[in-house]
Amino acid sequence: MTYLTVYTDADTPETLLRTEDPAEISAALKEIDVLLRHWDVVDDLPPGAGQDEILEAYREQVAKVVAEEGYTFVDVAQLHPDDTADWAERAAAARAKFLNEHTHDDDEVRFFVSGSGIFYLHVDDKVHAVLCEPGDLLSVPAKTTHWFDMGTTPDFTAIRFFHDDDGWVGDFTGASIASRIPDYDTIAAGRS
Ligand SMILES: [Fe+2]
């Protein structure tokens, strides 16, 4: 279930809202032009399913969104803990990639097949931290300042939708806001 926390972007951020209520979350995100939709989760996907199998399982939903919104490329990104020697290093590198505030020229659209991650949307003087879980399809409009935290133990599978080949490149703002707002581990642990 999606979990939304809203903060001020002050030097010492204050928490304005914490909610799991779907209607409240949709309304709060609509105010900042962010669309959150929900698909039924396909629960018979085997662990370790690859991109083709995942896209096939969600073929109809994906095709509908692609047709409606003109995406030209769809793929699957996934990261799961394993016992390889370089896991910790790979996890930290993956997490660091988009952990600072940035924008993209394309929308950032993700459907969470499994696991979770937090999109932090910095619009006007607030930060909406959207903890996405399986079934959540989040569309962050191009040019929205945001960052993404997959936590210190990344574990997720997400379908990604793109309009163009280079639109995903991050344009980093240099702002320090991401370091002032509670991170994935803190928000996930504090959720009750
Ligand atoms: Fe991004």
Side-chain angles (χ1 to χ4, degrees), residues 102 104 108 146:
H102 62 277
H104 304 283
E108 185 159 341
H146 69 279

Side-chain angles (χ1 to χ4, degrees), residues 39-42 56-66 161:
W39 293 350
D40 289 337
V41 172
V42 174
E56 178 59 26
Y58 287 95
R59 188 165 45 87
E60 278 178 33
Q61 295 94 320
V62 168
K64 187 165 180 279
V65 167
V66 164
F161 299 80

Side-chain angles (χ1 to χ4, degrees), residues 24-98:
E24 202 172 12
I25 293 174
S26 292
L29 294 180
K30 200 175 171 192
E31 272 180 39
I32 57 167
D33 290 328
V34 170
L35 182 62
L36 178 66
R37 286 167 284 187
H38 304 281
W39 293 350
D40 289 337
V41 172
V42 174
D43 51 17
D44 58 355
L45 265 173
Q51 172 164 294
D52 292 349
E53 213 170 344
I54 292 164
L55 292 179
E56 178 59 26
Y58 287 95
R59 188 165 45 87
E60 278 178 33
Q61 295 94 320
V62 168
K64 187 165 180 279
V65 167
V66 164
E68 283 170 3
E69 290 164 44
Y71 298 115
T72 54
F73 185 68
V74 178
D75 74 0
V76 173
Q78 52 181 329
L79 198 57
H80 305 288
D82 61 41
D83 54 9
T84 55
D86 65 346
W87 159 250
E89 197 182 321
R90 284 189 292 119
R95 181 183 183 222
K97 220 169 170 184
F98 290 108

Side-chain angles (χ1 to χ4, degrees), residues 8-189:
T8 63
D9 69 354
D11 288 346
T12 307
E14 284 174 49
T15 306
L16 301 172
L17 177 69
R18 276 194 189 97
T19 182
E20 287 190 346
D21 181 84
E24 202 172 12
I25 293 174
S26 292
L29 294 180
K30 200 175 171 192
E31 272 180 39
I32 57 167
D33 290 328
V34 170
L35 182 62
L36 178 66
R37 286 167 284 187
H38 304 281
W39 293 350
D40 289 337
V41 172
V42 174
D43 51 17
D44 58 355
L45 265 173
Q51 172 164 294
D52 292 349
E53 213 170 344
I54 292 164
L55 292 179
E56 178 59 26
Y58 287 95
R59 188 165 45 87
E60 278 178 33
Q61 295 94 320
V62 168
K64 187 165 180 279
V65 167
V66 164
E68 283 170 3
E69 290 164 44
Y71 298 115
T72 54
F73 185 68
V74 178
D75 74 0
V76 173
Q78 52 181 329
L79 198 57
H80 305 288
D82 61 41
D83 54 9
T84 55
D86 65 346
W87 159 250
E89 197 182 321
R90 284 189 292 119
R95 181 183 183 222
K97 220 169 170 184
F98 290 108
L99 196 54
N100 284 308
E101 188 183 76
H102 62 277
T103 62
H104 304 283
D105 288 339
D106 195 358
D107 301 344
E108 185 159 341
V109 183
R110 302 286 182 269
F111 171 71
F112 281 78
V113 172
S114 71
S116 58
I118 299 182
F119 277 92
Y120 294 81
L121 313 163
H122 186 194
V123 178
D124 299 327
D125 55 356
K126 292 180 193 166
V127 174
H128 288 63
V130 190
L131 194 161
C132 294
E133 297 208 303
D136 290 347
L137 171 64
L138 188 73
S139 302
V140 180
K143 302 293 186 188
T144 304
T145 47
H146 69 279
W147 66 95
F148 178 71
D149 191 0
M150 56 182 76
T152 53
T153 311
D155 190 3
F156 68 91
T157 298
I159 299 177
R160 310 188 294 184
F161 299 80
F162 302 90
H163 283 112
D164 82 84
D165 291 352
D166 300 322
W168 60 272
V169 174
D171 186 4
F172 288 84
T173 65
S176 62
I177 179 74
S179 64
R180 302 201 301 274
I181 301 286
D183 65 5
Y184 174 96
D185 290 26
T186 306
I187 290 178

